[in-house]
Amino acid sequence: MNCYLCFSPIVPEVNWTNFLLPAIEKKICRTCEEELEKLPAERCPMCSRPGEGLCGDCARWEETLPGVLDQNDSVFTYNAFAKELVAKWKYRGDYVALEALETFIKEKWNVLNLADYLTVCVPLSSERERERGFNQSGKIIEMVGKEPAHLFKRIHGEKQSKRNRRARLEAENPFSLVKLVDQPVIIVDDIYTTGRTIRHMASLLRENGCPAVRSFTIFR
């Protein structure tokens, strides 16, 4: 078969360990896989940003919205290759580019032991969802075998890519909570950048009685 991302042929690796076992379907080639950068061991304990100790973003968030987010777990670092992938599904509606990462997403999810958590979808504006053809947050949740919980609606939907970093951090909360929950929640999305989206959702949940909020993203 061919790589979902670059379309080059995928040559199966056969060795003494796996030649008697059923073949595992690979969706991306070795070249593309090597471009995906796994997060290092040293990273922010709250948001998983590479580096030592609590990062500057989380320190600032703890001053403005303290205690709303317990932890974010991500699969890969948001490098140049990752930016190209995200652009494919966000701006060109290429669901296959997202599906190519399914194996890695599942592997990371399965080690986190999140059985007690409600998996919450990040809402898109109706205009954005029509343009894209799908909600990447909901698709990621479906990939890990869960049902997306729709607890929020979006009040306004300006593209965050059009705002600079300071504007993203200072923007008002773009969400409203439409359903209350009394169990731990994990918010699922494709990318954690400044943390604005996830922390604003988390603040509404915690203000309304949710006991714990985590997040899971593909890229950090």
Side-chain angles (χ1 to χ4, degrees):
M1 64 177 295
N2 293 337
C3 176
Y4 278 32
L5 301 179
C6 70
F7 311 112
S8 62
I10 297 176
V11 180
E13 296 180 18
V14 180
N15 54 46
W16 289 109
T17 304
N18 66 17
F19 86 103
L20 292 177
L21 299 174
I24 299 174
E25 181 186 15
K26 296 197 69 175
K27 296 183 177 181
I28 66 173
C29 65
R30 176 180 286 275
T31 301
C32 287
E33 185 172 346
E34 289 175 351
E35 293 285 347
L36 294 166
E37 184 182 351
K38 291 192 174 180
L39 288 165
E42 289 188 353
R43 52 185 183 264
C44 174
M46 185 169 287
C47 75
S48 292
R49 182 177 185 173
E52 294 184 15
L54 191 71
C55 72
D57 278 355
C58 286
R60 285 188 288 273
W61 278 121
E62 287 303 294
E63 292 175 359
T64 57
L65 291 174
V68 300
L69 181 68
D70 296 325
Q71 183 179 344
N72 170 71
D73 288 287
S74 300
V75 187
F76 300 111
T77 299
Y78 191 50
N79 60 13
F81 184 75
K83 290 178 183 179
E84 287 295 320
L85 287 184
V86 172
K88 284 184 176 183
W89 63 70
K90 279 199 170 181
Y91 308 121
R92 297 194 284 277
D94 188 353
Y95 172 66
V96 172
L98 178 61
E99 191 179 16
L101 305 179
E102 182 174 359
T103 299
F104 307 105
I105 293 168
K106 285 181 176 178
E107 285 177 355
K108 179 67 175 182
W109 180 272
N110 289 338
V111 302
L112 294 178
N113 191 23
L114 299 167
D116 295 334
Y117 282 74
L118 184 68
T119 48
V120 173
C121 184
V122 179
L124 297 176
S125 66
S126 56
E127 176 189 4
R128 202 73 62 230
E129 190 156 359
R130 282 196 304 271
E131 289 176 356
R132 197 169 300 167
F134 63 94
N135 182 326
Q136 74 275 6
S137 172
K139 291 297 183 184
I140 296 167
I141 293 171
E142 291 171 3
M143 280 181 186
V144 299
K146 297 292 185 178
E147 185 73 23
H150 300 278
L151 306 184
F152 294 88
K153 69 176 180 180
R154 188 176 284 272
I155 301 170
H156 57 79
E158 181 183 348
K159 288 183 179 179
Q160 292 305 300
S161 58
K162 292 184 176 180
R163 295 182 174 185
N164 62 31
R165 186 177 187 84
R166 184 178 183 86
R168 292 184 200 180
L169 290 169
E170 294 178 350
E172 293 181 2
N173 197 326
F175 303 104
S176 65
L177 187 64
V178 296
K179 184 178 179 181
L180 303 182
V181 292
D182 58 1
Q183 69 182 95
V185 156
I186 183 158
I187 301 166
V188 177
D189 206 1
D190 56 350
I191 178 172
Y192 184 116
T193 49
T194 62
R196 171 187 176 272
T197 294
I198 286 169
R199 287 179 182 272
H200 279 170
M201 294 173 72
S203 68
L204 292 174
L205 287 165
R206 296 303 288 265
E207 288 169 6
N208 289 276
C210 181
V213 182
R214 294 177 60 163
S215 62
F216 176 85
T217 59
I218 304 174
F219 298 112
R220 173 66 181 95

